[in-house]
């Protein structure tokens, strides 16, 4: 189970993925683990969240051993799987980066995670692909196929489709910075593993909403990679100044702005049951015309309305490799559409289980 971890050119990705292949283990990899988009990602499971939300599968898929790598897990369902599996949990942690919020790890190796993974590979006999791994792969493909069936090039945009498309079209050698709240969760839940090199960055935590655009410009400048920022409207409004100053520094960046008019993550939380105070105190819809921010920064502003148009604009911006471009995608009624996409995968898996 792989949580967030920066790509540091220290051999971490190869070491972890090679160990998984050696042991016949599936790799339940978050999008920000930097294992999902990698040339060796053959054993990666992208849709563990949807699989584990299917009734009965969280119990049926309980393993004997869980190898935990990377930072704190983003989704509660995957963390609950680790905590409730009654498996032997072994943590391979970088120095100062051990995360075990519910104290389930029985063995902890902290210091050099890539070195520990290589030592494990040398010490443990190689195993062929296991039936357990094959089951995970089968379910992962079923989820991916369910979502493909709900996504047509002419479809109006939904938040899950936007995240999945951005991750699917980035060429090797790119960088993707993803905002907090719904964008990181949509990327994690809906993007599919790809066997190419794309570095993924995120900013999370108590102040995770602050400085998103500025940080994305920093990633673009520091990495030298063509960079895309996937962000929500509330996080974008928190850092309009970053857009202005980044453009003045002539740092190339593509901004994919998901505009659902406020902090819609709260509609998925218990506070949504309290009715009217939800909008006034939590969602806080702004009703602003965000194209004015593009005009202020002097950058190109586009409003794709379909998946085909979004694909075209992302690829065109990437091909230019200079300047900045903001692609604003408006997604009303996001809550119902997102739930529909989750339900499509869950219903397909339930049918698979009945068979």
């Amino acid at each position: 189970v792989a949580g967030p971890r920066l790509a540091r050119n220290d051999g971490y990705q190869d070491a972890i993925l090679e160990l998984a292949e050696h042991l016949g283990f599936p790799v339940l990899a978050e999008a920000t683990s930097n294992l999902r988009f990698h040339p060796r990602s053959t054993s990666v499971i992208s849709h563990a969240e949807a699989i584990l939300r299917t009734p009965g599968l969280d119990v049926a898929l309980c393993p004997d051993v869980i190898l935990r790598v990377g930072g704190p897990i983003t989704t509660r369902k995957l963390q609950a799987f680790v905590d409730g599996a009654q498996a032997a949990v072994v943590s391979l942690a970088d120095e100062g980066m051990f995360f075990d919020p519910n104290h389930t790890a029985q063995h902890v190796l902290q210091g050099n995670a890539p070195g520990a993974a290589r030592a494990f590979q040398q010490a443990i006999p190689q195993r062929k692909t296991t039936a357990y791994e094959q089951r995970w792969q089968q379910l992962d493909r079923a989820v991916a196929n369910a979502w493909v069936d709900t996504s047509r090039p002419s479809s109006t945009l939904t938040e899950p489709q936007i995240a999945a498309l951005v991750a699917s079209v980035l060429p090797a050698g790119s960088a993707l910075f993803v905002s907090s709240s719904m964008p990181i969760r949509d990327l994690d839940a809906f993007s599919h593993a790809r066997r190419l090199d794309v570095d993924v960055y995120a900013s999370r935590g108590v102040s995770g909403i602050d400085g998103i655009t500025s940080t994305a410009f920093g990633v673009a400048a520091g990495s030298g990679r063509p960079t895309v920022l996937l962000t929500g409207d509330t996080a974008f409004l928190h850092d309009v100044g970053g857009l202005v100053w980044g453009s003045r520094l002539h740092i190339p960046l593509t901004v994919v702005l998901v505009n659902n008019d406020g902090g819609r993550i709260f509609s998925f939380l218990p506070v949504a049951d309290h009715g009217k105070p939800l909008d006034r105190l939590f969602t806080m819809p702004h009703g602003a015309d965000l194209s004015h921010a593009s005009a202020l920064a002097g950058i190109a502003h586009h409003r794709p309305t379909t998946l085909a148009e979004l694909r075209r604009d992302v690829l065109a911006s990437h091909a230019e490799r200079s300047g900045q471009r903001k692609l604003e995608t408006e997604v009303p009624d996001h809550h119902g559409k997102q739930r529909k996409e989750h339900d499509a995968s869950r219903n397909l898996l339930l049918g698979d289980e009945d068979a």
Side-chain angles (χ1 to χ4, degrees):
V1 177
R5 211 269 195 179
L6 292 177
R8 300 176 184 167
N9 297 320
D10 60 357
Y12 170 84
Q13 295 151 293
D14 285 329
I16 298 300
L17 293 172
E18 287 175 12
L19 176 62
E21 293 174 9
H22 182 82
L23 297 176
F25 281 14
V27 182
L28 280 55
E30 293 196 6
T32 53
S33 68
N34 279 296
L35 300 177
R36 190 179 292 186
F37 311 116
H38 187 271
R40 299 190 67 99
S41 64
T42 53
S43 56
V44 164
I45 303 299
S46 302
H47 307 298
E49 175 79 2
I51 293 169
L52 294 173
R53 286 188 180 277
T54 304
L57 284 182
D58 55 343
V59 175
L61 293 170
C62 280
D64 298 320
V65 178
I66 294 176
L67 191 61
R68 262 290 279 127
V69 297
I73 296 171
T74 299
T75 62
R76 286 182 294 177
K77 192 63 179 178
L78 187 54
Q79 182 65 60
F81 177 69
V82 173
D83 295 338
Q86 297 183 340
V89 178
V90 180
S91 176
L92 302 185
D94 296 303
E95 185 173 358
M97 300 294 288
F98 170 55
F99 297 95
D100 185 25
N102 297 313
H103 311 289
T104 54
Q106 298 173 8
H107 306 281
V108 179
L109 296 176
Q110 185 175 184
N112 184 335
R118 294 188 192 97
F120 268 42
Q121 184 173 345
Q122 293 174 2
I124 302 174
Q126 184 172 3
R127 302 171 61 187
K128 296 180 179 179
T129 301
T130 61
Y132 181 75
E133 181 185 9
Q134 290 175 340
R135 183 58 172 149
W136 271 105
Q137 295 285 359
Q138 175 191 8
L139 293 168
D140 201 48
R141 286 192 296 271
V143 174
N145 291 337
W147 287 333
V148 166
D149 289 342
T150 66
S151 302
R152 297 286 183 268
S154 60
S155 299
T156 55
L157 297 170
T158 67
E159 291 175 62
Q161 290 170 345
I162 293 166
L165 184 139
V166 169
S168 72
V169 300
L170 294 183
S174 303
L176 172 63
F177 190 91
V178 58
S179 179
S180 54
S181 295
M182 292 312 300
I184 190 173
R185 287 169 172 80
D186 288 334
L187 182 72
D188 189 60
F190 294 94
S191 65
H192 313 314
R194 300 177 66 201
R195 298 185 64 180
L196 48 72
D197 168 36
V198 174
D199 287 351
V200 182
Y201 300 82
S203 180
R204 299 191 61 231
V206 175
S207 298
I209 197 173
D210 293 330
I212 292 294
T213 304
S214 298
T215 308
F217 274 116
V219 168
S223 69
R225 290 175 170 236
T227 302
V228 171
L229 165 63
L230 176 64
T231 186
D233 51 305
T234 302
F236 177 79
L237 285 169
H238 270 250
D239 196 19
V240 171
L243 185 72
V244 174
W245 287 106
S247 65
R248 291 186 180 183
L249 293 171
H250 305 292
I251 302 170
L253 181 70
T254 301
V255 180
V256 178
L257 170 61
V258 183
N259 183 1
N260 55 29
D261 197 25
R264 299 294 170 177
I265 190 173
F266 294 105
S267 65
F268 289 87
L269 301 177
V271 69
D273 297 333
H274 293 279
K276 291 184 179 179
L278 176 67
D279 273 357
R280 184 166 57 89
L281 299 177
F282 293 93
T283 305
M284 300 178 66
H286 49 79
D289 182 350
L290 300 183
S291 67
H292 295 309
S294 301
L296 181 65
I299 68 173
H301 186 96
H302 300 264
R303 283 195 171 114
T305 59
T306 66
L307 287 174
E309 291 176 0
L310 179 59
R311 176 187 293 271
R312 176 202 64 201
D313 290 345
V314 171
L315 291 175
S317 182
H318 237 62
E320 288 179 8
R321 300 191 66 139
S322 63
Q324 303 83 30
R325 181 180 298 202
K326 180 152 68 79
L327 313 177
E328 180 184 353
T329 56
E330 296 182 349
V331 281
D333 187 31
H334 92 293
H335 180 82
K337 291 180 179 178
Q338 188 173 48
R339 290 297 175 120
K340 182 179 179 180
E341 300 222 346
H342 276 291
D343 290 344
S345 62
R346 188 176 299 114
N347 291 340
L348 187 146
L349 290 177
L350 285 171
D352 177 80
E353 285 299 293
D354 291 341

